[in-house]
Amino acid sequence: NDFISLVSSGINAEYGEESEKGKLEPNTGNGANYENYSFTQTLEELEVRVPFNVNFKVKSRDCKVDIKEKALCVGLKGHDPVIKGELYAKILTDEALWHLEDNAVVLTLEKFNKVEWWGTIIKGDQEISTKKVQPENSKLADLDGETRSMVEKMMYDQRQKAAGKPTSDDEKKAETMKRFMDQHPEMDFSKCKWG
């Protein structure tokens, strides 16, 4: 998607490259597969899958699931937790859900900050490279007016640059210079360097 790649490249150029050393490649759901759990994510929410390696059918009453704004604990009653620790970032606990599926607890967690990719679920676990995340497509129609016009300008400028043509800012500068030259015919602009 032009918008996403344009914004991503702009953010990387503006804020510099973060260190990628030791970071995992994201899975197909923009998350990671760890030994004891896996997760996928969109900008708005996370899905965490915690499988139980047991030889009986797990029922909800067998599970201990504790979801807090900044912490998570999932396991079977009477056993050590499979996941326990501080969350990578804050979630909305009122929107948190969990269910059982194939002897695994599946949690759906809504992010508090809906414009950030999480590197992991539990702080301290190996993080994914959030620069390699493949965002879901978004439509210009979904954006508010100001954001939409900014994105359309960025897309126009990207197309112009790719075609070797002037960007909207270049066109604006050229128009301003032309007006100045028209207002001052007595000046000689033949030796001016434009760049």
Side-chain angles (χ1 to χ4, degrees):
N1 182 308
D2 286 342
F3 163 64
I4 298 300
S5 60
L6 188 65
V7 170
S8 294
S9 63
I11 289 169
N12 288 341
E14 191 173 334
Y15 295 105
E17 301 292 316
E18 66 175 297
S19 170
E20 294 299 297
K21 210 172 194 167
K23 293 199 175 177
L24 297 171
E25 190 79 20
N27 63 22
T28 54
N30 294 321
N33 302 322
Y34 299 107
E35 190 178 319
N36 56 340
Y37 75 94
S38 63
F39 81 98
T40 58
Q41 67 179 318
T42 64
L43 275 173
E44 293 86 23
E45 69 179 25
L46 306 144
E47 183 178 286
V48 183
R49 181 174 289 275
V50 184
F52 297 117
N53 191 9
V54 292
N55 57 4
F56 61 90
K57 176 105 171 101
V58 176
K59 295 184 170 40
S60 60
R61 67 175 174 260
D62 300 324
C63 301
K64 182 173 178 9
V65 179
D66 188 18
I67 303 169
K68 293 193 166 45
E69 191 175 78
K70 290 277 291 161
L72 180 65
C73 182
V74 179
L76 292 173
K77 289 179 182 168
H79 295 84
D80 288 337
V82 177
I83 280 189
K84 182 178 184 176
E86 184 181 352
L87 289 171
Y88 184 81
K90 208 156 92 169
I91 61 161
L92 300 172
T93 53
D94 289 348
E95 304 300 323
L97 303 169
W98 70 272
H99 68 275
L100 277 172
E101 186 179 296
D102 302 324
N103 265 17
V105 166
V106 180
L107 302 110
T108 303
L109 307 173
E110 191 172 326
K111 296 175 182 177
F112 179 79
N113 179 354
K114 296 179 186 341
V115 293
E116 129 183 91
W117 295 106
W118 284 29
T120 186
I121 296 297
I122 302 296
K123 280 188 178 177
D125 287 350
Q126 189 176 13
E127 293 187 25
I128 63 165
S129 169
T130 54
K131 284 172 39 181
K132 295 181 179 174
V133 160
Q134 296 296 316
E136 65 272 11
N137 288 336
S138 60
K139 297 180 181 79
L140 282 175
D142 295 341
L143 304 173
D144 65 78
E146 186 178 331
T147 305
R148 181 178 175 161
S149 64
M150 179 187 72
V151 169
E152 286 173 340
K153 178 185 179 294
M154 291 168 71
M155 289 171 64
Y156 171 79
D157 287 346
Q158 188 181 40
R159 282 192 302 273
Q160 289 292 97
K161 270 188 178 176
K165 296 180 179 176
T167 65
S168 55
D169 289 338
D170 295 337
E171 290 172 344
K172 198 175 191 179
K173 287 176 192 169
E175 181 60 36
T176 302
M177 204 61 215
K178 184 182 177 329
R179 273 200 316 271
F180 182 80
M181 290 167 67
D182 290 347
Q183 292 170 356
H184 299 280
E186 73 281 1
M187 297 178 80
D188 179 14
F189 294 97
S190 61
K191 293 184 180 153
C192 289
K193 290 185 181 177
W194 311 105

